Amino acid sequence: MHTSTELKDLLRRIDRRSYPAYKDTRGEYSFPGYVLSIDHVQGDPFASPSKLSIRVSAKNAQFPQEMYGEKHRRIALQDELTRKFGSEVMRFSRSSGSGKSGAISVSRCGQEVLERTACTILPETGDILVRFEVGFPAYGRTINAGGLEKILFDFLPECVKKSLIYKNLDSKRLREIAELSDDRQYIRDMLPELGLCAFVADGSILPRESGVSSRPMKNGIKFKSPEELRVSLDLPHHGRVTGMGIKKGITLIVGGGYHGKSTLLKALEMGVYDHISGDGREFVITDSTAMKIRAEDGRSIKNTDISMFINDLPNGKDTVNFVTEDASGSTSQAANVIEAVEAGSLLLLIDEDTSATNFMIRDELMQKVIHRDMEPITPFIDRICELYTRFGISTVIVAGSSGSYFRVADSIIQMDRYIPKDITEYAKNEAEKISVISEPVRPAQMPGFNRCPKASKEFTKGDRVKIKTLSRDGVVINRETIDLRYLEQISDSEQVTALGYCVKYAQKNIIDGKKNLRQVIDEIEDVIEKKSLAAICGSHSSIPNMARPRRQELFSCFDRYRSLRI
């Protein structure tokens, strides 16, 4: 390890030299109170910024061990430190000169609290590791060492002092963040004990600012639980909180247009994550395995057993090992359900508006005209009860035009001007007045989940695998795009980046044609859990900004990777 004085001397020696001379700065340097590591140096001023990291020892940072000892507290603290360090850096980031000269950037966190590579508190030591990017300053393509010296010796020490040293931070705020994470974890732990799959606290603000903003709507209507569904919880720090408990089983959300049905469902979708204080959804907690299911025309399906829903296709195509490069609405939604089961989801979230009608229902007239023997699709309504009673998988469905699910629902919630009402008894009574044809359905067999992916040859050629993130829409691996547009629970583009690197890591280190997809995902999660999210990159010199994806999105990414051989 070098000293900071040696770095300063080096910068002065290479000043005004050709830009590639910056590469001599790579290495670790001891600064007062922390270690600066220059991990990767950009090739020219217009290339992607250089990657740096700062490590502050637990002794110097002096954060109480209780603030990061438990995993949920550690992630909450990491999130806050990332935001704090980012806000301090933004005060000094000034792009001047050629290319990205002088620009300093850190992961931009949204409303969700996610585990990121941007800031890691090492559980074994308590050291804080922060990763960020700097555009090394230049005049044209000539080194501006004075500009970099100002960043490294003036700006960064100030940022570290104000954002990563406990005594300089608001201890009350940090304590409140830790206590909020305790309260949310308590609710998650209590859901199974109470027979619930989700909880929405009274006073929550569910509407968002706009279609492109996840911030809370100003003056948004506060959520108020119907008495019949109200649950009280005594949280460790917040005390008693009341709200609507959504029971395991089948829940139907109905109501007129623009009355808040989809808003409630969206809140439940994102309730798999924790949210920052002031978001309005701090105590909207959903089973962490919940999966949003929709039709996805055109997606590829690889050896998925959709026979629970689709059988006896006219062309004789195998539906036990169903394969297609261009799925229809019904086959894609069937595959999405089965793949969610394979991923371990215990709650399915469905919106009628984004579903294939022929997959969801068959009305009475259609059943009379087209007999079951002529219809290869067993609609979801005929399997929904079985999914819960036999396989323990609950479902929440939003419906605005079809009342077919009234009969099978255990709980029916009407959204009236964003206020929920329990209309279960009334709706059930009305449904009983209407006679319907009920065709017998043979019991479903649990799908087989022994899909074993094989490694692709292109991943054996060194590290020449290029990964490019397309916001939250997808990830490009070499020349192929994995389309992730319809995975609506991805909250951050950094999760998409992580998905790309997980695919690369699995192809190079795990996939062997013998392990099934569940085992592959298990090993990826084991690496992340035991080593860190950054470990899936392999190289320590160029770790991108990543946020941890859920197990469900890992499965979904592999399922949509057209080049994956199974």
Side-chain angles (χ1 to χ4, degrees), residues 362-375:
R362 289 184 74 221
D363 65 28
E364 184 176 0
L365 181 57
M366 188 60 71
Q367 292 182 52
K368 285 182 178 180
V369 175
I370 306 297
H371 193 266
R372 183 175 292 279
D373 294 340
M374 301 171 64
E375 174 54 73

Side-chain angles (χ1 to χ4, degrees), residues 238-421:
H238 190 274
R240 174 153 294 194
V241 62
T242 62
M244 183 174 75
I246 296 181
K247 298 177 183 177
K248 293 180 180 180
I250 303 165
T251 298
L252 186 62
I253 302 173
V254 298
Y258 303 99
H259 278 257
K261 304 185 301 298
S262 296
T263 299
L264 174 56
L265 187 70
K266 188 67 178 177
L268 296 176
E269 288 173 29
M270 303 314 290
V272 298
Y273 303 111
D274 290 345
H275 291 86
I276 59 172
S277 179
D279 173 79
R281 299 170 294 181
E282 295 91 333
F283 294 137
V284 178
I285 307 295
T286 308
D287 184 313
S288 60
T289 69
M291 190 70 186
K292 174 68 184 299
I293 303 296
R294 58 170 295 156
E296 197 172 341
D297 299 71
R299 65 154 290 195
S300 66
I301 298 173
K302 295 184 179 297
N303 296 81
T304 301
D305 183 356
I306 61 172
S307 59
M308 177 185 286
F309 298 105
I310 300 176
N311 273 296
D312 304 320
L313 291 173
N315 59 8
K317 196 165 187 176
D318 183 6
T319 59
V320 174
N321 295 287
F322 187 74
V323 178
T324 182
E325 290 296 319
D326 187 19
S328 66
S330 57
T331 55
S332 64
Q333 194 159 359
N336 287 344
V337 171
I338 299 304
E339 290 163 0
V341 176
E342 183 179 16
S345 294
L346 296 177
L347 174 62
L348 306 180
L349 305 171
I350 301 176
D351 193 330
E352 173 188 80
D353 287 348
T354 55
S355 297
T357 303
N358 61 339
F359 174 77
M360 296 297 292
I361 59 170
R362 289 184 74 221
D363 65 28
E364 184 176 0
L365 181 57
M366 188 60 71
Q367 292 182 52
K368 285 182 178 180
V369 175
I370 306 297
H371 193 266
R372 183 175 292 279
D373 294 340
M374 301 171 64
E375 174 54 73
I377 301 175
T378 301
F380 188 72
I381 193 170
D382 289 341
R383 294 294 191 204
I384 190 170
C385 294
E386 196 174 8
L387 280 171
Y388 179 63
T389 57
R390 291 185 59 196
F391 307 128
I393 299 171
S394 300
T395 306
V396 175
I397 299 180
V398 165
S401 60
S402 173
S404 300
Y405 282 85
F406 283 143
R407 288 179 174 274
V408 297
D410 299 310
S411 180
I412 303 169
I413 300 168
Q414 178 189 356
M415 294 301 293
D416 183 1
R417 295 177 178 84
Y418 288 90
I419 300 298
K421 298 178 179 179

Side-chain angles (χ1 to χ4, degrees), residues 66-100:
E66 65 186 36
M67 301 199 78
Y68 58 84
E70 294 181 85
K71 182 180 177 181
H72 63 272
R73 281 194 166 206
R74 174 169 55 83
I75 292 173
L77 179 56
Q78 289 172 176
D79 176 81
E80 174 62 15
L81 295 183
T82 302
R83 295 172 193 271
K84 183 64 175 174
F85 185 75
S87 66
E88 290 297 327
V89 160
M90 287 300 295
R91 295 173 54 228
F92 299 110
S93 180
R94 295 179 181 87
S95 184
S96 61
S98 54
K100 299 179 174 62

Side-chain angles (χ1 to χ4, degrees), residues 6 24 93 97 176 230 240 248 389 413 452 459 468:
E6 290 175 304
D24 294 344
S93 180
E176 288 172 350
R230 181 164 284 133
R240 174 153 294 194
K248 293 180 180 180
T389 57
I413 300 168
C452 299
F459 289 89
K468 180 181 178 181

